[in-house]
Amino acid sequence: AGKEVHVKKLPRRKAYKGLEGLIKATYNAMFTYIVRRVNICIAPKQEKIGRRFSMVQASYIGVLDIFGFESFTNNSLEQLCINYCNEALQQQFNLFVFKNEQIEYEREGIQWSYIEFPDNQ
């Protein structure tokens, strides 16, 4: 407490694991803070309609990924990372299945119908 300083020597591997834990905790705290602030900004507001007050939903945030549309009451940093990875995998799939195959077909002179697909990059 106060101005005390404690030093503990650790093997490199243990120190690195501690650093990883600190980084994860920091990102998680930042993510939670940002989500809380966004939720406050988009929370339903009371609005007077005539003589009554009514709750009006201003807006909301949902996530659209390769598995469909998700709208969570509570979200976490882990869920955001999962969604990000899913999107990266979908882009990789699109690249190899659609883009590269169609380039190969053109190069080999194969007749086919061009496939249009959304590219979210």
Side-chain angles (χ1 to χ4, degrees):
K3 296 183 179 186
E4 291 180 32
V5 175
H6 297 272
V7 177
K8 182 175 180 180
K9 293 191 179 214
L10 294 173
R12 179 180 223 124
R13 184 169 168 81
K14 275 192 168 185
Y16 188 77
K17 285 292 185 187
L19 177 62
E20 283 180 332
L22 176 63
I23 291 168
K24 182 178 179 184
T26 302
Y27 274 102
N28 190 45
M30 288 173 38
F31 180 81
T32 301
Y33 172 78
I34 291 168
V35 168
R36 188 175 299 125
R37 294 293 302 155
V38 168
N39 284 341
I40 289 168
C41 292
I42 67 173
K45 309 280 189 274
Q46 270 197 350
E47 194 172 279
K48 189 173 183 181
I49 301 172
R51 294 183 191 179
R52 297 181 179 187
F53 283 94
S54 179
M55 295 300 283
V56 177
Q57 178 73 39
S59 49
Y60 67 92
I61 296 175
V63 177
L64 178 62
D65 66 12
I66 61 174
F67 299 109
F69 186 78
E70 298 174 303
S71 184
F72 297 107
T73 303
N74 295 310
N75 209 334
S76 66
L77 177 61
E78 287 81 7
Q79 185 63 46
L80 178 68
C81 292
I82 289 167
N83 288 347
Y84 177 81
C85 289
N86 287 342
E87 287 302 315
L89 287 170
Q90 181 66 43
Q91 287 301 321
Q92 195 70 9
F93 176 83
N94 288 349
L95 174 67
F96 284 103
V97 171
F98 295 122
K99 288 182 181 178
N100 290 344
E101 284 299 313
Q102 292 185 113
I103 290 169
E104 182 82 16
Y105 287 2
E106 281 181 355
R107 188 173 44 239
E108 293 181 10
I110 298 171
Q111 297 271 328
W112 92 101
S113 296
Y114 184 79
I115 299 171
E116 299 252 349
F117 63 96
D119 188 352
N120 295 333
Q121 292 181 334

